[in-house]
Amino acid sequence: MARTTATQANTEEGRDGAAPAPDYQRKYCLVGAGPAGLVMGRALVHEGVSFDWFERHTDVGGIWDIDSPGSPMYESAHFISSKYTSSFVGHPMPDDYPDYPTWSQIRDYIRDFARAYDLTRHVTFGVSVDRAEPLPGDRWQVTLSTGETRIYDGLIAAP
C-alpha cells in the first residue's frame, strides 16, 4: 500500500505562506504535463517536494494539444463543461472566452497556467516513462525513453 504524507498546501497557514514548509526527504517521479500533471506539479512545487517531471511531448497540454502523440483532439472539438466551473483554482479562464471554449482555447489556457506558475522549467520534455516497476520499501524503478533507469520514492501518473 502506498504511503501518503502530510501537507501544508491546504491549510490556512500554507495558503498565506505563514507556516514553514515541511522538510521532505523523499523524491518522486511525475509523469505527464497535461492538466492533471500541471495541477500536481504546482502542488509539489508549492510544497517544496523534490521530484523529476517527464512529458513525452514537446509542450504542456496533454490531450488538449492536437499535436501531442495519442491526442484524440479534433478540429471542431469544444469543452463540454462551462469555463466557469472548470478552470484551475486561482486561475480563471479569460473573460473573452465563450462559455464552452474551443479545444485550442483550452490548450492556450493550459499553457498560460503553466507559464503563470513557471511550471515548464520543471518539466523534462521529449522524454517518456517507458516502464515503472514497484520495488520493496515503497519505491519505484523507472525506465525512461532515454534508456536511463532511476529509483524514486513514489510515482505519480498524470498522463
Side-chain angles (χ1 to χ4, degrees), residues 6 17 26 46 56 60 66-67 72-73 81 100 113 119 133 153:
R26 296 170 56 109
H46 176 77
R56 67 180 173 174
V60 301
I66 206 166
D67 297 320
M73 205 50 54
S81 59
Y100 297 91
F113 174 81
L119 297 175
E133 300 174 80
D153 295 302

Side-chain angles (χ1 to χ4, degrees), residues 37-114:
L38 292 171
V39 169
M40 180 55 71
R42 178 176 68 169
L44 293 171
V45 169
H46 176 77
E47 276 298 303
V49 175
S50 180
F51 69 102
D52 291 333
W53 192 353
F54 302 101
E55 166 57 47
R56 67 180 173 174
H57 189 44
T58 57
D59 206 344
V60 301
I63 67 166
W64 291 99
D65 182 351
I66 206 166
D67 297 320
S68 182
S71 172
M73 205 50 54
Y74 50 95
E75 288 296 332
S76 62
H78 279 72
F79 211 41
I80 61 169
S81 59
S82 171
K83 75 174 187 175
Y84 299 106
T85 59
S86 300
S87 61
F88 294 116
V89 171
H91 194 81
M93 288 193 199
D95 290 337
D96 63 338
Y97 275 25
D99 195 9
Y100 297 91
T102 65
W103 72 268
S104 60
Q105 288 172 316
I106 295 298
R107 179 206 55 209
D108 294 348
Y109 166 71
I110 291 167
R111 289 180 178 168
D112 182 65
F113 174 81

Side-chain angles (χ1 to χ4, degrees), residues 126-147:
V127 175
S128 62
V129 171
D130 287 348
R131 187 174 178 90
E133 300 174 80
L135 297 174
D138 199 26
R139 302 188 84 201
W140 288 85
Q141 179 174 296
V142 172
T143 304
L144 304 173
S145 60
T146 61

Side-chain angles (χ1 to χ4, degrees), residues 117-128:
Y117 289 91
D118 196 23
L119 297 175
T120 56
R121 73 182 174 96
H122 299 280
V123 183
T124 301
F125 292 103
V127 175
S128 62

